[in-house]
Amino acid sequence: MPADPIAELKARQREMWATFAPTAVFTTPVAAHLVRFAAVEPGQAVLDVGTGTGVVALTAARRGARVTGLDLSPVLLEAARENARIASQPGIVWTEGDAEQLPYGDASFDVVLSQFGHMFAPRPDVVMSEVHRVLKPGGRIAFATWPPEHLIGRVFAFVGRHSPPPPPGASPPPQWGSPTVIAERLAAGFDAPFFERGTMSFFALSTGHYRLFMERSVGPIQKLVERFAADADKLASLRAEFDALVEPYYADNVVRQEYLLTRAQRR
């Protein structure tokens, strides 16, 4: 049987994002912004897609919601369970699974959230169909993504320029940061989306410190460094290009990472 390139991509993602846990601490204010923006209420059934270490799931649970967190990575889910233990939130259900094949019944949730998670699923139409299916009529989707014109979107473009192309049918993640693209992708099953923006602060002593953290903790950057580890000149060139990319966003020992929030109601 021929290999399935989408399945192979997901297997690489499962392995690649396993080192993400140290980055999660910087996303906790974004999680609070997202949960507030989504207007999560006590007693609501909430699904966090791409939960990672559980920062959004835990934030929603602390508001009294009944929360389920789903992620491809069993390593990150172990970190999520430990975070839930520390936060005294034993009621969250953690599920290893795929955003393109949600293991839940129709109309199971009042709210579906995703913080920099569902955007990495390769087929947006499949993800949105699944989210629509598991949401109750009148339920809400709310998510955080990286706009392509700002730092993290530009970082992903940088990675893309120096990496093999994705398989046919896989969409670039930063497309989820464009309000026009988002509106098109939600149009079939949701009311017109509402948008809000924010900035995630990453504290660093220099752009070099920021780059080193990214090389150790953010899968796509880590893999890029590994790919060129034997070519010192190429690696030095990539690092210089990365530092120059970050420099406009760095001031007062802070790297500013702009993000986009989207909220829409299911029809």
Side-chain angles (χ1 to χ4, degrees):
M1 179 179 294
D4 179 350
I6 295 293
E8 290 179 345
L9 173 62
K10 292 178 182 180
R12 291 196 299 273
Q13 289 178 329
R14 182 181 293 109
E15 186 267 336
M16 180 174 62
W17 288 108
T19 58
F20 180 77
T23 309
V25 65
F26 295 96
T27 72
T28 54
V30 185
H33 189 186
L34 175 60
V35 170
R36 182 176 70 253
F37 176 76
V40 171
E41 299 176 358
Q44 287 185 321
V46 174
L47 172 63
D48 178 21
V49 176
T51 192
T53 62
V55 294
V56 169
L58 283 158
T59 304
R62 293 204 322 272
R63 290 176 71 108
R66 296 179 289 108
V67 181
T68 299
L70 174 133
D71 204 274
L72 268 178
S73 169
V75 174
L76 294 183
L77 287 172
E78 279 304 306
R81 292 185 181 96
E82 176 63 8
N83 283 334
R85 185 193 66 78
I86 295 168
S88 300
Q89 293 291 336
I92 301 173
V93 176
W94 305 105
T95 309
E96 183 180 341
D98 184 347
E100 294 189 346
Q101 193 174 1
L102 296 174
Y104 313 109
D106 297 355
S108 294
F109 298 98
D110 300 294
V111 182
V112 173
L113 305 173
S114 185
Q115 177 174 266
F116 315 129
H118 81 288
M119 63 182 290
F120 292 102
R123 296 171 296 190
D125 56 333
V126 178
V127 172
M128 284 300 97
S129 176
E130 278 293 271
V131 168
H132 186 272
R133 180 183 65 79
V134 302
L135 268 174
K136 299 175 183 177
R140 295 186 302 284
I141 182 174
F143 50 83
T145 52
W146 299 115
E149 71 273 19
H150 289 302
L151 175 59
I152 300 302
R154 296 179 66 193
V155 166
F156 280 111
F158 159 78
V159 171
R161 289 194 299 272
H162 300 287
S163 302
S171 296
Q175 288 183 354
W176 274 112
S178 165
T180 300
V181 172
I182 291 169
E184 292 171 352
R185 290 176 175 178
L186 299 185
F190 296 84
D191 292 343
F194 180 80
F195 300 103
E196 190 167 300
R197 293 180 183 268
T199 302
M200 188 176 100
S201 296
F202 189 106
F203 308 107
L205 281 174
S206 68
T207 56
H209 284 81
Y210 177 72
R211 171 174 41 76
L212 184 59
F213 183 92
M214 297 283 275
E215 289 179 3
R216 291 173 174 173
S217 302
V218 176
I221 304 296
Q222 188 179 45
K223 293 301 179 185
L224 188 63
V225 170
E226 290 175 358
R227 185 174 300 119
F228 294 104
D231 187 340
D233 290 341
K234 177 65 174 178
L235 190 56
S237 174
L238 287 173
R239 284 171 165 160
E241 183 180 349
F242 183 91
D243 288 354
L245 181 63
V246 173
E247 188 63 39
Y249 301 91
Y250 180 68
D252 301 323
N253 287 350
V254 178
V255 178
R256 290 165 174 81
Q257 303 179 169
E258 289 83 359
Y259 60 87
L260 176 69
L261 297 184
T262 301
R263 181 180 68 230
Q265 185 168 334
R266 181 199 188 278
R267 290 199 299 272

